[in-house]
Amino acid sequence: MDDLVPGIEELSIPEEPGAEGWDDFVAAAGVHNTVEAEAYGTHELSVTAEEALPDWLDQDWEPRRLFAVRTADGSTPDGGSDPSSADAQADAAAEADVPPIVARGVCEFQGAGSQTAWLRADVLPAYRNRGIGTALFTLLESVAEADGCVNQIVYAASPDSPGERLVAPTGFGSLPLRNPEVHFLLRRGYRLEQVERGNRLALPYDRERLDRLLRAAEKRAGKEYEIIQWDGFTPILWQPDMAMLYERMSTDAPTAGLEEPAESWPLDRFLDRQARLADGARTVYTTAVVHRPSRALVGFTELSVPAETDRPVNQEDTLVVREHRGHRLGLLLKAWNLESVRRNEPGHPSVITFNAEENRHMLAINEELGFLPIGYEGGWRRRTPLTDA
């Protein structure tokens, strides 16, 4: 783009690891991981560029744009250096021993016709308080508005600190009012709508405890439900049902006042995602529950496992459709999937998951399984008026 804020450039997304743009993509992923590690006090949330790439390649259904700031000498987007020469910057960066990219911005959309965009700006700690975050957010908001996205959502981690708290409108969860990210978003007109909790389960888990929970959950579920499991690509028989469950994730999970729109998951979108994940760097283990009378899937949970055993497992989506809640199926699904990973992928240190604070039912399940809080993030929303193009 020729009209970007000076000092900010849009990065191209590489088609595969090692392709054109790969080094910048890796550097931008490193910025994100550094910011997350600082906010949560652990590197367990880090995602490699290889693991992140499949989602970035989904430009048909979830288009994303990636922006970056390079600075070699402490200059900022509104500062005095000339950012036009990439070669000059790279040479200066090498001489100054600074990162090639010191901040990144992300604008994510949902596809044609949606009025919602998800924004994120990450700035390395040593480069904050220089106007970089402000410049990035100004750009991201303008990009979103130019695409008709007047509903703008930001998820931002908020490390715990003393003092007055900002309570979410849901009544569940709060953030430290004095935190810089809280001040920043409030000044830009964002409203806190939801607080999410990051949770960690240390591995190996207590198998006696898990067995006890499984037996109790199976007794509560009764004979109407059956557990099935697979890793990697979903069996053909269950693909239409899984596409339906993905769609229900956007309507049945609590989103407070964020007004996150419902997503469409036709079968071709689901199969495209399956193919991209199959080519990715992680293995996905799925446990689903079949309602025997209808022979339909009514719930599922996924665990995403990295190849390196010294890294944590990520708990991805978990859903039991509303019509079948109250039978302890959520606990049954999660417990069986944990056991599946233990059998097939032993040695990982932990499982990491995130849940909305008002989702007390799922949090209670996690607590029963032994998950403990590691940090919190706010779900923020800003709505701008529609303007004529």
Side-chain angles (χ1 to χ4, degrees):
M1 291 179 62
D2 295 328
D3 56 348
L4 294 182
V5 175
I8 303 177
E9 63 180 280
E10 183 165 8
L11 300 182
S12 60
I13 308 305
E15 296 181 358
E16 60 184 4
E20 182 179 357
W22 179 246
D23 289 345
D24 282 345
F25 188 76
V26 171
V31 170
H32 170 72
N33 289 335
T34 298
V35 170
E36 288 282 274
E38 179 205 32
Y40 288 97
T42 176
H43 288 278
E44 288 199 323
L45 277 69
S46 293
V47 176
T48 68
E50 289 83 358
E51 292 167 342
L53 186 58
D55 285 335
W56 281 93
L57 293 175
D58 183 14
Q59 294 292 336
D60 291 331
W61 293 97
E62 291 182 318
R64 304 181 186 193
R65 295 175 66 179
L66 179 61
F67 304 91
V69 176
R70 306 176 196 271
T71 182
D73 56 4
S75 61
T76 65
D78 53 355
S81 70
D82 177 8
S84 60
S85 170
D87 290 340
Q89 285 192 356
D91 292 343
E95 292 174 7
D97 193 28
V98 299
I101 290 175
V102 300
R104 71 155 205 172
V106 177
C107 192
E108 180 181 343
F109 306 93
Q110 199 182 72
S114 174
Q115 292 189 340
T116 299
W118 291 261
L119 314 180
R120 180 180 177 111
D122 297 311
V123 182
L124 290 178
Y127 292 86
R128 293 175 188 164
N129 301 313
R130 306 181 185 191
I132 296 177
T134 296
L136 275 171
F137 257 93
T138 298
L139 171 63
L140 295 173
E141 290 162 358
S142 67
V143 167
E145 290 165 18
D147 205 64
C149 295
V150 295
N151 191 44
Q152 296 158 17
I153 295 173
V154 174
Y155 286 95
S158 283
D160 197 23
S161 63
E164 190 177 353
R165 312 284 296 187
L166 178 62
V167 179
T170 61
F172 295 93
S174 64
L175 304 178
L177 189 56
R178 296 179 182 176
N179 276 19
E181 74 285 345
V182 173
H183 273 233
F184 179 86
L185 290 166
L186 287 172
R187 285 198 309 270
R188 297 194 70 85
Y190 289 86
R191 167 185 160 94
L192 177 66
E193 299 289 356
Q194 186 181 66
V195 172
E196 289 213 350
R197 182 198 303 181
N199 295 281
R200 180 183 189 272
L201 173 66
L203 298 178
Y205 53 75
D206 183 338
R207 291 191 65 189
E208 182 177 338
R209 177 183 189 176
L210 191 75
D211 288 344
R212 185 171 64 252
L213 290 171
L214 266 173
R215 287 194 298 270
E218 288 171 340
K219 182 177 180 181
R220 177 72 174 273
K223 301 296 185 182
E224 284 196 354
Y225 299 98
E226 173 189 353
I227 291 294
I228 59 173
Q229 296 181 303
W230 63 86
D231 62 270
F233 215 83
T234 299
I236 294 175
L237 173 64
W238 303 116
Q239 289 172 359
D241 282 9
M242 283 297 295
M244 176 274 296
L245 289 174
Y246 269 49
E247 191 162 306
R248 290 288 294 267
M249 273 296 301
S250 69
T251 59
D252 288 20
T255 60
L258 293 169
E259 295 188 12
E260 293 189 299
E263 290 191 68
S264 174
W265 277 91
L267 185 58
D268 59 340
R269 179 184 181 183
F270 176 75
L271 294 178
D272 178 64
R273 182 179 187 274
Q274 292 268 289
R276 284 184 289 103
L277 290 177
D279 291 337
R282 300 174 74 99
T283 302
V284 176
Y285 288 83
T286 303
T287 295
V289 59
V290 182
H291 180 236
R292 284 192 169 112
S294 64
R295 295 307 298 169
L297 296 187
V298 297
F300 78 106
T301 188
E302 295 174 329
L303 288 170
S304 174
V305 184
E308 304 86 354
T309 56
D310 62 344
R311 298 177 59 211
V313 174
N314 285 357
Q315 172 70 67
E316 304 294 347
D317 290 339
T318 298
L319 174 73
V320 175
V321 296
R322 288 194 180 99
E323 306 91 293
H324 291 271
R325 292 177 183 172
H327 302 284
R328 301 249 70 187
L329 298 180
L331 176 60
L332 200 61
L333 285 166
K334 284 200 165 189
W336 270 115
N337 218 23
L338 284 171
E339 183 63 11
S340 177
V341 168
R342 182 196 67 80
R343 291 194 309 267
N344 296 289
E345 304 272 1
H348 293 273
S350 62
V351 179
I352 304 293
T353 188
F354 282 81
N355 303 97
E357 276 290 335
E358 70 268 27
N359 193 354
R360 306 311 300 180
H361 177 71
M362 193 58 68
L363 284 172
I365 289 174
N366 289 337
E367 289 162 0
E368 283 186 272
L369 291 168
F371 283 86
L372 296 173
I374 58 170
Y376 298 86
E377 67 181 31
W380 300 79
R381 175 175 175 262
R382 171 181 181 260
R383 186 168 182 87
T384 62
L386 284 169
T387 57
D388 294 330

